[in-house]
Amino acid sequence: MKTSIKVILATAFAGTLALAGLANVGNAQSPAAVMQSQNGVKIAEASDGDGETNDDAQDKQSQSKLQSLAKITPQQAKQAAETAVGGTATKVKLESENGNLVYAVEIGSKELTIDAGNGQVLSSENAGQGDNAEQSAPKSSVQVP
């Protein structure tokens, strides 16, 4: 009788461990950190639980790289856009558009493209105009490799 009790207890213990393991697998999310290699530097990207890795660290690194290539500051781009249109800028963002380093500056319903090298206004479009204006916009004096 003692042997059968030991077998029952061992089976119950193994079953409990199996159920706990299944519960962990069922609640598992994507890996907490994914290592990526970029220029020989490893970057840890944490998941926010939606199955995708957060790109915040990568975005910050990319923005830092772009900012080092820019010859004017975001404030100078904002001032150039405000002078050209005569309004107050609500958003300034440094971007690489088809290899051109530019600031996208929003003033009201207009989005201006400012050369990140010399502060010249390259293009101006209404917010809902689309990508056609980007393709015909002049090239920036700073090219992104």
Side-chain angles (χ1 to χ4, degrees):
M1 177 132 164
K2 288 188 177 193
T3 305
S4 62
I5 292 176
K6 287 182 182 178
V7 169
I8 292 172
L9 288 175
T11 305
F13 181 73
T16 303
L17 287 177
L19 286 175
L22 286 174
N24 282 338
V25 169
N27 290 330
Q29 296 175 355
S30 59
V34 177
M35 298 302 286
Q36 285 190 343
S37 178
Q38 186 175 9
N39 298 333
V41 177
K42 292 191 177 195
I43 303 168
E45 294 183 353
S47 172
D48 58 6
D50 63 358
E52 298 175 1
T53 56
N54 291 331
D55 295 331
D56 292 343
Q58 191 173 6
D59 286 346
K60 285 180 184 178
Q61 187 176 20
S62 176
Q63 280 295 315
S64 176
K65 180 181 175 185
L66 291 178
Q67 192 62 52
S68 70
L69 295 172
K71 296 193 176 19
I72 66 169
T73 65
Q75 292 79 16
Q76 290 170 318
K78 178 181 175 182
Q79 184 178 11
E82 290 175 345
T83 300
V85 176
T88 303
T90 56
K91 183 177 177 184
V92 179
K93 184 175 180 186
L94 184 62
E95 299 177 341
S96 173
E97 295 281 340
N98 300 323
N100 297 302
L101 189 61
V102 296
Y103 284 98
V105 182
E106 288 183 16
I107 298 179
S109 63
K110 289 193 175 283
E111 182 175 312
L112 285 84
T113 303
I114 308 296
D115 189 326
N118 57 24
Q120 291 183 349
V121 177
L122 298 176
S123 68
S124 174
E125 64 185 58
N126 290 326
Q129 193 171 350
D131 292 338
N132 294 336
E134 286 180 13
Q135 294 172 351
S136 64
K139 291 189 180 268
S140 169
S141 63
V142 179
Q143 300 297 303
V144 179

